[in-house]
């Protein structure tokens, strides 16, 4: 969205929806973005189909009709207490105690280690940790993760033809969700759908057209490719955004302006031609047990024995993936600190974890060996 006129809050953006995938690989069970009302929810803790892990605790998961809410699983940074809340409690009761403990049991921080190397949500054991499909992002031009299109596709796109957006390596670019979400900012409502990358082109691959020598439009949807917040940096997501009419959708001068690079088969933001469209890293999500995208730990025996292990995976992939932090600097929502998680094929980026109290997955600093105030947590429980 336009950073100046239609920027959603960073807090809301941190809880981006990631689908819960079905066993038949034909799509997702259902997803929805969380809005501010979720933070106000209350009631018993429930872990359901479609939920994933996130940094926010103690909020109830909701089902909207037949759609199950889900959002990105993160390696969540939970500081043991809030200094301000402790001060208030001490003032009113004469003593201080931890109001927001990292180790909060009875919900989304409770995990079971399985003998087959999987990790299950304790309160719904048919759901295990897995990897979501990669998002579409900006990457450094020339990166191995950039999208490269064959000559026929790139020339057809440049010429304004309708094109199914499939890369030369067979990757397909599609929608994460089948229905639109809405964000109202400064009185204007934007429609959006997040993008995801399919390993192989499927029926969900987008049909697009390059219009006005500027916009990459989703055919029949009045949506354009849009750089999130119009921030031109590697790793930032690119999704599909539209207004109430074509004029609003086609706002030039920012994150919806694209150039087709015929010379190397890539697509770049006009304002940042050193970047190109590409595939991002997968986030952790909950999937059905037995799903092809469930994660299997490489050293589950050590984890079961209470050892601190490097979070390397034997699958999915060829044993080259590790769980990692998406970024190093903590973000914050209300009293909670958090960091989102991703899977990388860079061994030195692996997080180190330990299973504590037969319940929590604690992060341990890989350099110092000291415990971190982070545990794995299911978003909104």
């Amino acid at each position: 969205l336009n950073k100046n006129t239609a920027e959603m809050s960073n807090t809301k953006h941190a809880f981006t929806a990631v689908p819960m995938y079905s066993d038949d690989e034909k799509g997702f069970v259902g997803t929805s973005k969380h809005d501010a009302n979720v933070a106000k929810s209350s009631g018993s803790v429930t872990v359901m189909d479609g939920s994933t892990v996130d940094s926010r605790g103690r909020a109830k998961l909701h089902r909207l009709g037949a759609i199950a809410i889900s959002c990105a699983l993160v390696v969540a940074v939970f500081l043991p207490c809030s200094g301000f809340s402790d001060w208030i409690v001490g003032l009113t009761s004469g003593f201080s105690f931890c109001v927001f403990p990292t180790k909060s049991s009875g919900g989304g921080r409770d995990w079971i280690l399985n003998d087959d190397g999987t990790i299950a949500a304790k309160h719904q054991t048919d759901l295990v940790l897995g990897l979501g499909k990669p998002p579409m992002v900006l990457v450094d031009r020339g990166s191995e993760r950039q999208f490269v299109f064959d000559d026929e596709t790139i020339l057809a796109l440049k010429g304004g033809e309708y094109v199914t957006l499939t890369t030369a390596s067979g990757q397909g670019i599609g929608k994460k969700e089948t229905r639109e979400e809405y964000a109202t900012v400064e009185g204007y409502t934007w429609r959006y759908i997040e993008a995801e990358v399919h390993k192989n082109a499927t029926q969900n691959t987008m049909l697009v057209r390059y219009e006005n020598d500027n916009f990459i439009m989703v055919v029949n949807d009045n949506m354009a490719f849009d750089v999130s917040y119009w921030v031109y940096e590697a790793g930032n997501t690119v999704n599909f955004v539209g207004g109430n009419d074509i004029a609003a959708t086609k706002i030039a001068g920012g994150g919806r302006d694209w150039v087709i690079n015929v010379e190397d088969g890539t697509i770049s933001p006009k304002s940042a031609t050193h970047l190109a469209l590409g595939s991002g890293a997968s986030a952790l999500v909950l999937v059905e047990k037995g799903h092809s995208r469930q994660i299997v730990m490489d050293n589950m025996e050590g984890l079961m024995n209470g050892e601190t292990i490097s979070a390397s995976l034997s699958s999915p992939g060829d044993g080259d993936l590790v769980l990692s932090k998406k970024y190093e600097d903590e973000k914050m929502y209300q009293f909670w600190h958090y960091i989102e998680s991703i899977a990388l094929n860079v061994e030195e980026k692996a997080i180190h974890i330990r299973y504590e109290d037969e319940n929590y997955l604690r992060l341990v600093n890989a350099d110092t060996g000291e415990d971190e105030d982070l545990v794995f947590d299911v978003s909104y429980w």
Side-chain angles (χ1 to χ4, degrees):
L1 296 179
N2 185 328
K3 184 178 178 66
N4 296 318
T5 63
E7 180 177 7
M8 292 184 289
S9 71
N10 288 334
T11 298
K12 182 170 182 178
H13 186 259
F15 301 98
T16 301
V18 173
M20 157 72 188
Y21 295 101
S22 59
D23 283 329
D24 59 11
E25 290 282 7
K26 293 180 181 177
F28 49 84
V29 174
T31 68
S32 175
K33 276 232 178 180
H34 288 69
D35 59 28
N37 291 330
V38 177
K40 302 175 182 177
S41 59
S42 61
S44 60
V45 171
T46 306
V47 179
M48 64 171 70
D49 238 13
S51 64
T52 55
V53 174
D54 197 274
S55 60
R56 188 186 304 179
R58 300 199 178 283
K60 183 181 177 182
L61 288 171
H62 293 262
R63 185 176 295 273
L64 303 179
I67 302 300
I69 289 179
S70 73
C71 36
L73 172 125
V74 307
V75 174
V77 184
F78 291 101
L79 300 185
C81 297
S82 162
F84 175 76
S85 63
D86 282 346
W87 179 79
I88 291 295
V89 171
L91 182 66
T92 57
S93 64
F95 63 94
S96 177
F97 64 92
C98 191
V99 178
F100 300 102
T102 299
K103 288 186 173 181
S104 296
S105 63
R109 300 175 202 171
D110 303 344
W111 302 95
I112 294 176
L113 306 185
N114 296 321
D115 291 335
D116 61 1
T118 61
I119 300 174
K122 184 171 284 188
H123 303 290
Q124 189 161 338
T125 55
D126 60 324
L127 298 178
V128 297
L129 293 180
L131 297 182
K133 292 182 179 177
M136 181 166 62
V137 300
L138 295 177
V139 299
D140 292 321
R141 195 167 171 187
S143 164
E144 64 180 11
R145 299 187 72 93
Q146 73 179 6
F147 296 146
V148 177
F149 301 92
D150 61 31
D151 290 343
E152 182 180 356
T153 299
I154 206 72
L155 289 171
L157 189 62
K158 176 70 173 177
E161 299 179 26
Y162 294 102
V163 173
T164 299
L165 215 52
T166 303
T167 70
S169 63
Q171 292 174 301
I173 301 168
K175 299 175 181 178
K176 182 177 291 185
E177 307 176 33
T178 56
R179 65 188 182 91
E180 300 172 351
E181 300 292 336
Y182 302 91
T184 302
V185 182
E186 296 180 359
Y188 192 86
T189 300
W190 295 97
R191 302 172 297 112
Y192 65 91
I193 298 178
E194 295 178 342
E196 68 178 10
V197 181
H198 302 267
K199 185 176 182 180
N200 299 303
T202 68
Q203 61 184 2
N204 295 324
T205 301
M206 304 294 300
L207 182 65
V208 302
R209 186 169 70 171
Y210 189 53
E211 298 182 3
N212 307 111
D213 198 33
N214 195 69
F215 306 100
I216 301 176
M217 300 296 295
V218 180
V219 175
N220 296 326
D221 277 349
N222 183 27
M223 284 186 164
F225 280 40
D226 179 278
V227 177
S228 297
Y229 306 116
W230 296 15
V231 174
Y232 306 103
E233 62 183 23
N236 194 21
T237 55
V238 177
N239 296 300
F240 315 122
V241 175
N244 294 329
D245 54 49
I246 195 67
T249 300
K250 289 186 173 182
I251 295 179
R256 300 177 197 170
D257 301 350
W258 300 94
V259 59
I260 310 300
N261 303 312
V262 175
E263 64 274 17
D264 63 1
T266 62
I267 300 173
S268 297
K270 277 189 176 178
S271 299
T273 55
H274 64 288
L275 301 173
L277 288 178
S279 176
S282 296
L284 281 169
V285 297
L286 290 179
V287 300
E288 294 171 348
K289 186 172 174 58
H291 193 280
S292 63
R293 298 185 70 87
Q294 73 179 12
I295 66 169
V296 177
M297 302 302 298
D298 190 42
N299 185 12
M300 178 58 85
E301 182 178 358
L303 195 60
M304 285 181 165
N305 290 333
E307 300 172 14
T308 297
I309 68 165
S310 174
S312 57
L313 310 179
S314 61
S315 69
D318 300 317
D320 59 345
L321 291 176
V322 299
L323 301 183
S324 183
K325 297 177 182 178
K326 187 175 181 179
Y327 40 79
E328 289 296 331
D329 294 336
E330 299 172 2
K331 295 183 179 181
M332 190 168 184
Y333 178 77
Q334 294 181 351
F335 298 102
W336 302 110
H337 296 252
Y338 65 91
I339 294 178
E340 296 169 85
S341 66
I342 55 174
L344 299 174
N345 59 355
V346 183
E347 185 176 355
E348 56 269 26
K349 293 286 189 180
I351 57 172
H352 287 210
I353 59 176
R354 184 175 63 248
Y355 190 53
E356 296 186 350
D357 305 329
E358 297 187 348
N359 197 66
Y360 305 102
L361 288 167
R362 158 90 69 181
L363 268 72
V364 179
N365 188 289
D367 297 322
T368 66
E370 296 179 354
D371 290 353
E372 299 187 46
D373 284 321
L374 300 104
V375 295
F376 283 31
D377 178 88
V378 176
S379 299
Y380 310 111
W381 295 9

